[in-house]
Amino acid sequence: MAGEYRFSFGPWNIHEGSDPFGPTVRRKIAFAKKLKLYKKLGFDGVQFHDDDAVPGMDKLTARQIVKEAKDVRKMLDGEGLAAEFVAPRLWENPQTIDGGYTSNDPACRKYARERSRRCIDIAVALKTDLIVLWLAREGTYIREAKDSKLAVDRLAEAVDDMLAYHSGIKIAIEPKPNEPMDHTYIPTTGHAMALGYLTRDPKRVGVNIESAHAILAGLDPSDEMGFALAYDKLFTVHLNDQNGLKFDQDKSFGSANLRRAFDQVRILDKYDYGQRGEFVGLDVKAMRTQKQATATKHLSNSRTVFLKLVELSRSLDESRVEALTADRDYEELDLLIMNHLMGA
Ligand code: XUL
Ligand code: MN
């Protein structure tokens, strides 16, 4: 089955292991070295934040940014890799301390809009038409500090601004209910898709569904994917796993709940996800304990699990599923699925 799906990850998925309570535990791997690992691990696509491609971009002119991005495009060509998407990193600059597009400060909102335009320039230089928007700080720590109606108006205006800036780009909003904020304004797939319909060109606005983000919202990722597929809005995915309601863990795909992963693969495979060039994107982190030499296994393992689950999805006795469903014998159906996953 390998080869039917194309996989991607971002350079941040090979990381040094720092967390809010402790420093790095692994050495930094230079971007050029990371690129060399992609094909070896079975990946064809690179996901970017704008400053993964052009570090320090806030200090550069628009022209310098494009020049640097074009150099990165050459590096990708050298490795035979595609750029899947570019996402503006709107959560580290002091001007985004309280959000970008929804900041109460007009100067900060202006910065966010300008940075987003530079992000589009980078996408064009890297030859991708997909922009991912993870709306990290577009929410509140304290509800009374922002106006939630105005925030949505501002988000729609910001997306509109990006759509108007370049007619060839598409935007995939990546919803997440919390972290770093207490609450974010676009917490679920439904919110993200509805926001698209407030813009000038809803056809060009879709979603990036991350498994862990859906789980953090108390939702089932496969049902979220089904919802987006019904509207033809599933522009990309961030597969990973999450063990309950806590910080965003970005665990290897299927590692916390194999059945939940199976259900995601089943809906994606059933509705031909990937046939129009969509990548199977991962957003996974190695455990902090992982040693330097083996700190890419979370990526290859997630890919392996995905492909094994494709096989399992395709070998499931669908006529038996249908018969048990018709008979409403869901207990037997439950066992059928569990036996199938156990190889029994
Ligand atoms: C954060 C997250 C981001 C986005 C890209 O939780 O998932 O890495 O995927 O900005
Ligand atoms: Mn993500």
Side-chain angles (χ1 to χ4, degrees):
M1 301 294 174
E4 278 191 49
Y5 282 101
R6 293 191 306 160
F7 295 83
S8 71
F9 69 86
W12 66 91
N13 292 130
I14 300 175
H15 69 114
E16 296 90 64
S18 62
D19 70 17
F21 302 98
T24 59
V25 290
R26 290 181 287 268
R27 288 188 306 282
K28 193 178 166 71
I29 299 179
F31 175 67
K33 277 207 163 163
K34 287 184 184 176
L35 282 191
K36 297 218 174 293
L37 295 170
Y38 273 76
K39 288 276 180 183
K40 285 188 198 143
L41 293 166
F43 290 77
D44 297 306
V46 184
Q47 309 167 13
F48 285 93
H49 291 113
D50 49 9
D51 59 1
D52 291 323
V54 184
M57 59 185 282
D58 282 336
K59 295 202 171 68
L60 303 177
T61 64
R63 190 192 289 245
Q64 286 170 322
I65 289 170
V66 168
K67 189 180 164 297
E68 290 207 10
K70 283 187 175 163
D71 290 342
V72 175
R73 178 64 253 174
K74 283 188 202 130
M75 290 169 82
L76 294 178
D77 288 341
E79 303 296 332
L81 294 168
E84 190 205 353
F85 68 69
V86 186
R89 198 192 300 272
L90 287 173
W91 51 93
E92 289 185 355
N93 187 286
Q95 300 218 66
T96 57
I97 190 165
D98 200 16
Y101 311 128
T102 65
S103 172
N104 289 323
D105 181 341
C108 295
R109 294 201 298 277
K110 184 162 177 274
Y111 164 80
R113 304 265 282 255
E114 277 169 11
R115 170 93 179 216
S116 305
R117 289 174 176 219
R118 297 295 79 76
C119 173
I120 294 170
D121 295 344
I122 291 172
V124 171
L126 293 179
K127 299 201 176 118
T128 175
D129 62 358
L130 188 60
I131 303 293
V132 162
L133 275 190
W134 171 47
L135 300 166
R137 297 191 193 277
E138 313 300 351
T140 54
Y141 301 108
I142 162 169
R143 178 148 288 109
E144 296 80 9
K146 282 186 189 172
D147 175 331
S148 54
K149 194 266 180 198
L150 189 57
V152 174
D153 294 343
R154 284 178 171 161
L155 285 168
E157 278 167 25
V159 174
D160 243 355
D161 196 48
M162 296 173 78
L163 293 170
Y165 181 65
H166 195 293
S167 61
I169 57 136
K170 296 183 302 180
I171 297 176
I173 298 171
E174 182 179 335
K176 181 177 179 182
N178 60 284
E179 197 203 37
M181 308 308 281
D182 182 29
H183 288 278
T184 52
Y185 290 126
I186 306 297
T188 69
T189 308
H191 290 82
M193 284 167 38
L195 180 63
Y197 290 104
L198 285 179
T199 67
R200 67 176 61 221
D201 196 356
K203 275 196 310 305
R204 291 198 282 141
V205 187
V207 290
N208 175 15
I209 296 182
E210 175 162 324
S211 323
H213 296 179
I215 296 161
L216 285 170
L219 299 167
D220 180 81
S222 72
D223 286 350
E224 292 293 278
M225 288 170 187
F227 185 75
L229 286 165
Y231 282 85
D232 199 10
K233 289 287 183 202
L234 192 55
F235 290 0
T236 187
V237 291
H238 260 176
L239 300 185
N240 56 16
D241 212 350
Q242 172 73 27
N243 191 12
L245 300 181
K246 48 187 80 162
F247 63 95
D248 184 8
Q249 293 181 299
D250 295 337
K251 290 171 78 70
S252 290
F253 184 53
S255 65
N257 185 331
L258 191 62
R259 185 170 180 173
R260 192 167 55 196
F262 171 75
D263 289 325
Q264 291 169 69
V265 171
R266 190 159 177 256
I267 196 95
L268 293 173
D269 199 48
K270 182 171 182 185
Y271 291 103
D272 294 328
Y273 179 83
Q275 297 296 306
R276 287 178 297 171
E278 305 95 327
F279 277 88
V280 175
L282 300 178
D283 195 0
V284 290
K285 283 205 178 78
M287 287 179 246
R288 190 162 187 266
T289 45
Q290 200 67 4
K291 292 178 188 157
Q292 185 81 23
T294 54
T296 52
K297 283 193 177 174
H298 58 302
L299 295 158
S300 47
N301 290 355
S302 294
R303 177 181 175 276
T304 301
V305 167
F306 182 92
L307 289 171
K308 285 226 161 103
L309 290 175
V310 171
E311 276 177 40
L312 281 176
S313 176
R314 291 179 187 174
S315 62
L316 182 65
D317 184 349
E318 290 292 347
S319 59
R320 185 94 185 110
V321 173
E322 261 175 48
L324 292 171
T325 305
D327 196 27
R328 245 178 39 229
D329 190 352
Y330 294 165
E331 294 293 353
E332 195 61 33
L333 177 57
D334 209 22
L335 186 64
L336 178 81
I337 301 296
M338 289 190 285
N339 272 333
H340 196 61
L341 289 176
M342 289 190 290

